[in-house]
Structures are given as C-alpha cells and as structure tokens.
C-alpha cells in the first residue's frame, strides 16, 4: 500500500509553526540571561 505524498508547502508551514516560537523563546532566554554574565561594574 502506497502512502499519500505530503505537500512540501504543508511541511514548510509546519516547520515554521514550530521554529518561530522556538526561536523567539531562545532569543528571550538569551536576552534575560545576558545580565547574569556581564561583569559587575564598581560603584
């Protein structure tokens, strides 16, 4: 039995639906973590 072929456009849209929020989350994590690794300035 042959399996039906999935549309490349549907695959691309599914990947975008996953990678866009994932990329946003990684970006936000890096932005919020940066202050932890910055050197403390002497006052």
């Amino acid at each position: 039995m042959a399996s039906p072929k999935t549309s490349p456009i549907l695959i691309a849209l599914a990947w975008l639906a996953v990678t866009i929020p994932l990329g946003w989350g990684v970006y936000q994590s890096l932005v919020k973590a940066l202050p932890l690794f910055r050197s403390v300035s002497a006052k």
Side-chain angles (χ1 to χ4, degrees):
M1 179 167 81
S3 60
K5 190 170 183 174
T6 306
S7 167
I9 294 173
L10 185 61
I11 294 171
L13 288 174
W15 273 105
L16 283 174
V18 171
T19 56
I20 289 173
L22 180 65
W24 179 252
V26 169
Y27 172 74
Q28 289 297 312
S29 296
L30 289 173
V31 166
K32 296 199 186 276
L34 270 176
L36 295 173
F37 299 105
R38 290 194 179 147
S39 61
V40 178
S41 60
K43 289 186 177 181

